[in-house]
Amino acid sequence: MSQTFHQSIVEEFRANGGKVGGPFEGSDLLLLTTSGATSGKPHTVPLGCVRDGDLLLVVGSNLGAPRHPDWYLNLLAHPQVQVEFGTEAYEAIAVPAEGERRERLFAQVVSVAPGYADYQAGTARALPVVVLEPAEPEYEEADGANPRAVHTLADKLVQVHTWLRAQLRHVRTEAEAHLAALAAHQGPGAAPAPGLGLQIRQHCLAFCQSLEFHHTGEDAHIFPTVARYHPELRPALDRLQEEHRTIARIQNDLLGLLADIGNADPKRFLTDLERMSGELRAHLAYEEEQLIPALADVPWPPPAPSASPDTPASPAPSGSGAAGSAAESAVS
């Protein structure tokens, strides 16, 4: 499909609460926004989808072409995506199914949309079946806590930390389950793949990318602003930045293993993950202890500037919109 046709479908979808006419009329359709594998820029495509319980499935058919579609290559590089379905919009982790699960889900897709069988017959590559796992429920699961309303930058910081803790726990649970399956396999039947698998890879990569974005934003925006209005916190901020560098080194070790998931050693991966878990849990707790009091009066989202062009700007007091504006790109 051409970019012009794609864009017309996207506009019609958004203007009509997720409903479109023409060849898609009456079928389940979603909009998937991925980040470019190289550019990082957002790309939105309309895709047919099939439900699997509460989850949505999309297939990288590319109309049976020999090459995977660009949106699939994008989500392998950046697993965190945005999904629009009907009137809902949410963040998700895109996980290509593997092995028996992929075969089962593809059969389910074909039972609903038989045309995918024709696409598969026309190409030698296995059409990817991608499961879109909503990221939002992770807020509710982290540390057994329910999400709280976000009114201040302190609330937003805790929300981001909650998501990071949940993602880290999710990756750890997946890795432990994979090791247990390898250890328990006996007798006939296919053993679990010896590497890490795409389920672990996608969640770990999404976690690492989110953590890097968060820490980069803190170093560039939040910490300098907090230091300006709270100079007594400079020693704590220096410690937090040093911890960022320590965590980044462990993160790079994990990313190195993810680069070759088929041959990666799950035990080494779990060992590195445990190192990161310990460092990160202590880091997040210390950051919250030190920064939440300073950020508790900063409104979120930050208010729009209200000064007129002819009015000189006054120095921003502690807890003002200046900190919120500087922080917006760091934690949004």
Side-chain angles (χ1 to χ4, degrees):
M1 288 186 284
S2 69
Q3 279 299 119
T4 302
F5 182 69
H6 270 175
Q7 189 57 36
S8 69
I9 295 297
V10 168
E11 292 171 359
E12 184 180 357
F13 182 103
R14 289 174 173 164
N16 295 286
K19 294 182 173 62
V20 298
F24 296 110
E25 186 170 5
S27 60
D28 280 338
L29 187 74
L30 60 77
L31 302 184
L32 182 71
T33 300
T34 60
S35 299
T38 302
S39 69
K41 295 179 180 178
H43 298 273
T44 300
V45 293
L47 297 172
C49 61
V50 172
R51 304 173 201 237
D52 179 42
D54 294 332
L55 299 174
L56 295 175
L57 312 175
V58 291
V59 178
S61 70
N62 207 13
L63 302 179
R67 183 180 182 275
H68 291 312
D70 288 343
W71 61 261
Y72 179 72
L73 302 177
N74 288 347
L75 64 82
L76 288 180
H78 303 284
Q80 196 162 355
V81 300
Q82 184 177 45
V83 178
E84 297 171 63
F85 184 63
T87 57
E88 293 183 86
Y90 58 90
E91 299 291 321
I93 308 298
V95 180
E98 296 180 280
E100 183 278 330
R101 187 188 188 204
R102 185 266 172 199
E103 299 306 313
R104 175 177 59 81
L105 292 178
F106 187 71
Q108 180 177 328
V109 168
V110 169
S111 70
V112 176
Y116 284 110
D118 297 331
Y119 293 143
Q120 181 60 87
T123 181
R125 66 183 175 91
L127 302 186
V129 180
V130 179
V131 184
L132 301 172
E133 302 182 2
E136 193 69 22
E138 300 282 13
Y139 286 139
E140 302 175 10
E141 297 170 6
D143 304 326
N146 290 321
R148 66 184 186 184
V150 174
H151 301 297
T152 69
L153 187 52
D155 295 334
K156 185 63 181 177
L157 184 71
V158 170
Q159 185 190 59
V160 172
H161 284 187
T162 297
W163 189 88
L164 291 170
R165 288 182 176 110
Q167 285 296 314
L168 184 58
R169 189 176 62 251
H170 188 119
V171 173
R172 181 178 174 181
T173 299
E174 290 283 349
E176 290 174 342
H178 186 67
L179 277 174
L182 285 172
H185 178 73
Q186 295 179 352
L196 291 171
L198 283 170
Q199 179 80 18
I200 296 172
R201 178 196 184 277
Q202 294 297 94
H203 278 275
C204 188
L205 189 55
F207 163 76
C208 287
Q209 290 172 346
S210 297
L211 181 63
E212 181 180 9
F213 178 83
H214 176 58
H215 282 176
T216 300
E218 286 186 327
D219 290 342
H221 301 287
I222 292 184
F223 290 176
T225 304
V226 171
R228 191 178 312 131
Y229 296 108
H230 294 275
E232 74 280 4
L233 290 177
R234 285 186 184 276
L237 296 171
D238 290 343
R239 170 178 159 176
L240 290 170
Q241 287 186 303
E242 181 58 37
E243 290 176 355
H244 285 181
R245 289 188 282 272
T246 298
I247 291 168
R249 286 192 291 270
I250 304 172
Q251 179 178 303
N252 286 337
D253 290 341
L254 288 174
L255 292 174
L257 291 173
L258 293 179
D260 186 15
I261 60 171
N263 296 312
D265 180 356
K267 290 184 179 179
R268 181 185 165 193
F269 176 83
L270 193 55
T271 298
D272 285 348
L273 194 63
E274 292 285 359
R275 286 171 57 214
M276 174 179 275
S277 296
E279 293 280 354
L280 188 60
R281 282 196 299 266
H283 170 78
L284 296 180
Y286 180 72
E287 183 172 303
E288 290 166 5
E289 174 189 312
Q290 296 295 316
L291 297 192
I292 281 179
L295 302 178
D297 295 328
V298 181
W300 187 269
S306 56
S308 69
D310 299 326
T311 304
S314 301
S318 170
S320 76
S325 298
E328 185 167 13
S329 63
V331 297
S332 61

